[in-house]
Amino acid sequence: MEVTKPHFLDLIKNKKWRELKRSLQDMDALDLSLMVENFSKNDKIILFRLLSREQAKNVFKMLPQSDQEEVIEGLSENSQKLSRLLNDIEPDDRTSFFEDLPEDIAQSFIQMLSPEERAITVKLLSYPKDSIGRLMTPEFVAIKADITVAKAFEHIRQFGQDSETLNVIYIIDHEWRLIDDISIKDLILASPEQHVSELLDHRFVFLNALDDQEAAIQVFKDYDREAMPVLNKEGVLLGIVTFDDILDVIEEESTEDFHKFGSIQNVSKNPLKERIFILYKNRIVWLVLLVFMNVFSGAALASFEDVIQQVVALVFFLPLLIDSGGNAGSQSATLMIRYLALGEIQISDWYKLIGRELMVSFLLGLTMAASVAAVASFRAPEVIIVVCIAMVINVMLGSLIGMLLPFIFTKLNIDPATASAPLVTSLSDICGVLIYFSIAARYFGF
């Protein structure tokens, strides 16, 4: 029988545990995780108490951090069940879970691990936050080069049960330094009597345990691998990073950049489960800073009171002009940040892009000036020339601000995503007001 949420709740209500357990046995881990996310805390705990060890492990790693914490908290009353779950989770998934917990809580959970799993966890957590060492798993298969292919398969059958992947086998020397890696396909197609050393080309790509996780993203993109070995500075094989872990990092980095571009700080949890004050705190800092920045726009307006009083029609076009400059700047900033993130342009390319950006923004400004001229011809024909010139200059200047800020921030070792849309828009607004009314003052002779 298919278990849907209403059916699940009905079985819970009527305490039909055996029927529920039988129904859950054949369910896919992904389907279970999606279903569990929408359950109350008590229902989550009931589910995990009924799942097999393998199911519980697979479902747990697919849940968001907040749901994982609820499950762990609920299972804390049953220390044996909790200990079994924590020991069953893959080392890299367990490290990812522990690193987001308060240190005292994480330490209490670490003490529940077996000596072997505790040593692995402590070692992984000893690497810097956001380093590749935090991301790797020590569960892989490594063999020596001087054995035969037949012996290699005996080793794989004996030790490959818990390996994260068997698609790639790693070749090491007697001091665990990496010599090469080889695909399982090459081993399968080789003669059983051949020595592994005969299959090697000694060309392999690796990651350094202390490098930032973003470096791993680029390496995976460049070499299109399912897994990458992780070495220390002596070349010793410490673990591997698999593509599914990199996908998680890509999602986290993209989310972080997206939030930064919206001037939002430290957003990591489900907004439906996060406290109101935390949501407020994550957004208020930049908004307050932008309020003070926009004071300059008001000051600029105040300095042109005489012009505004004499030509009131100018005010009608003010929001349109400054918004156009800000929008053009936000577009440009978005493109530059993305190009920098993908590695399609380098920081040294900034001067090559200025001429292209000026030409593109000039054409954009002309097109938008023609549109605003059509509006002005009906509303206030006397300001057409002022509005058109201001539109072209504002769009060009906003585009340049949006283009250059990500390069400036990158040069200062600041995440270019911090060159956010609100920041670009605020700077463009201030400049736009000054440009618009300066042109008007000169044109009308004030």
Side-chain angles (χ1 to χ4, degrees):
M1 180 184 296
E2 181 183 1
V3 180
T4 59
K5 183 177 179 180
H7 180 58
F8 177 90
L9 295 175
D10 183 62
L11 293 176
I12 288 284
K13 181 179 179 181
N14 294 296
K15 300 183 179 180
K16 297 181 179 180
W17 311 128
R18 290 186 179 179
E19 181 182 345
L20 177 58
K21 188 170 184 177
R22 284 196 303 270
S23 300
L24 293 173
Q25 284 176 349
D26 297 326
M27 288 190 68
D28 181 76
L30 177 60
D31 294 334
L32 279 171
S33 65
L34 293 174
M35 186 171 68
V36 168
E37 285 185 36
N38 298 314
F39 290 154
S40 67
K41 179 180 176 180
N42 288 336
D43 290 343
K44 288 187 180 77
I45 307 311
I46 290 172
L47 174 71
F48 268 83
R49 286 176 174 167
L50 294 173
L51 293 176
S52 67
R53 290 182 65 171
E54 187 67 20
Q55 278 184 311
K57 177 187 75 172
N58 292 331
V59 171
F60 184 84
K61 71 179 183 180
M62 294 180 181
L63 293 176
Q65 177 81 14
S66 56
D67 289 313
Q68 290 179 339
E69 291 177 10
E70 285 187 352
V71 170
I72 293 297
E73 184 182 347
L75 293 178
S76 60
E77 298 175 1
N78 187 335
S79 59
Q80 185 178 3
K81 184 84 173 178
L82 177 56
S83 176
R84 191 161 52 233
L85 176 61
L86 292 174
N87 278 284
D88 286 343
I89 303 170
E90 279 83 0
D92 52 337
D93 295 322
R94 185 169 56 228
T95 302
S96 177
F97 172 64
F98 281 170
E99 68 182 0
D100 289 329
L101 295 176
E103 187 173 344
D104 56 335
I105 296 177
Q107 285 297 330
S108 67
F109 289 151
I110 290 173
Q111 297 307 312
M112 302 181 73
L113 300 174
S114 67
E116 180 183 357
E117 294 297 332
R118 186 185 309 143
I120 292 172
T121 300
V122 170
K123 181 179 180 181
L124 294 180
L125 287 172
S126 68
Y127 289 102
K129 186 174 175 61
D130 295 327
S131 68
I132 291 171
R134 288 281 185 102
L135 200 62
M136 70 181 181
T137 176
E139 295 182 342
F140 59 90
V141 175
I143 58 177
K144 303 292 195 308
D146 55 2
I147 65 174
T148 64
V149 171
K151 287 288 185 182
F153 278 113
E154 288 181 16
H155 182 88
I156 292 169
R157 281 189 287 270
Q158 182 179 358
F159 297 101
Q161 186 68 33
D162 296 325
S163 177
E164 184 89 359
T165 178
L166 289 176
N167 292 335
V168 182
I169 309 300
Y170 299 94
I171 318 301
I172 56 173
D173 64 16
H174 293 281
E175 295 180 350
W176 277 82
R177 287 192 294 262
L178 184 64
I179 298 173
D180 204 354
D181 54 25
I182 186 171
S183 70
I184 194 71
K185 175 184 175 182
D186 290 336
L187 280 177
I188 292 172
L189 296 177
S191 169
E193 293 77 25
Q194 275 187 288
H195 281 77
V196 173
S197 58
E198 299 175 48
L199 307 176
L200 307 182
D201 58 12
H202 298 280
R203 293 184 298 177
F204 59 90
V205 183
F206 65 91
L207 302 169
N208 188 294
L210 296 178
D211 284 347
D212 191 271
Q213 292 177 5
E214 289 193 30
I217 297 175
Q218 192 59 48
V219 174
F220 269 86
K221 286 180 180 178
D222 292 341
Y223 293 95
D224 194 24
R225 300 292 181 89
E226 297 179 21
M228 287 277 188
V230 181
L231 312 183
N232 65 11
K233 61 182 179 180
E234 286 81 26
V236 174
L237 180 59
L238 302 174
I240 63 171
V241 173
T242 53
F243 187 68
D244 60 319
D245 296 318
I246 293 301
L247 286 178
D248 292 338
V249 174
I250 292 173
E251 181 180 354
E252 290 174 7
E253 293 291 341
S254 298
T255 302
E256 181 183 341
D257 288 347
F258 183 81
H259 289 148
K260 285 181 179 178
F261 197 69
S263 294
I264 303 172
Q265 298 179 330
N266 303 323
V267 178
S268 59
K269 295 187 177 182
N270 189 328
L272 296 175
K273 300 178 180 179
E274 188 62 276
R275 290 185 299 164
I276 296 294
F277 178 76
I278 298 299
L279 295 175
Y280 158 81
K281 186 178 72 172
N282 290 336
R283 296 170 61 180
I284 191 60
V285 176
W286 263 105
L287 288 177
V288 171
L289 289 175
L290 292 172
V291 164
F292 286 105
M293 183 175 287
N294 287 329
V295 168
F296 291 103
S297 296
L301 277 172
S303 64
F304 291 102
E305 285 185 8
D306 293 341
V307 179
I308 294 172
Q309 289 175 357
Q310 295 298 320
V311 189
V312 179
L314 291 170
V315 178
F316 176 81
F317 296 96
L318 178 60
L320 185 152
L321 285 169
I322 62 176
D323 284 351
S324 296
N327 291 338
S330 297
Q331 274 190 344
S332 184
T334 301
L335 292 173
M336 292 305 113
I337 291 169
R338 190 59 181 161
Y339 291 148
L340 285 167
L342 294 175
E344 295 180 7
I345 58 175
Q346 305 300 321
I347 189 171
S348 58
D349 295 329
W350 68 271
Y351 68 93
K352 301 176 185 176
L353 292 166
I354 286 183
R356 300 177 68 86
E357 188 65 28
L358 284 173
M359 182 57 68
V360 170
S361 59
F362 177 68
L363 294 174
L364 292 172
L366 283 180
T367 305
M368 297 169 75
S371 301
V372 78
V375 176
S377 63
F378 294 99
R379 176 74 183 186
E382 68 276 14
V383 301
I384 287 180
I385 294 177
V386 172
V387 171
C388 288
I389 295 174
M391 175 64 80
V392 174
I393 295 176
N394 281 349
V395 170
M396 293 179 69
L397 184 60
S399 297
L400 278 181
I401 291 172
M403 189 209 88
L404 290 174
L405 273 183
F407 286 98
I408 294 171
F409 284 14
T410 302
K411 183 67 175 177
L412 297 174
N413 293 322
I414 302 172
D415 191 331
T418 311
S420 58
L423 177 60
V424 171
T425 301
S426 295
L427 290 173
S428 299
D429 286 355
I430 296 168
C431 296
V433 170
L434 291 171
I435 290 169
Y436 181 39
F437 287 109
S438 295
I439 294 171
R442 178 65 62 89
Y443 182 81
F444 291 107
F446 292 103

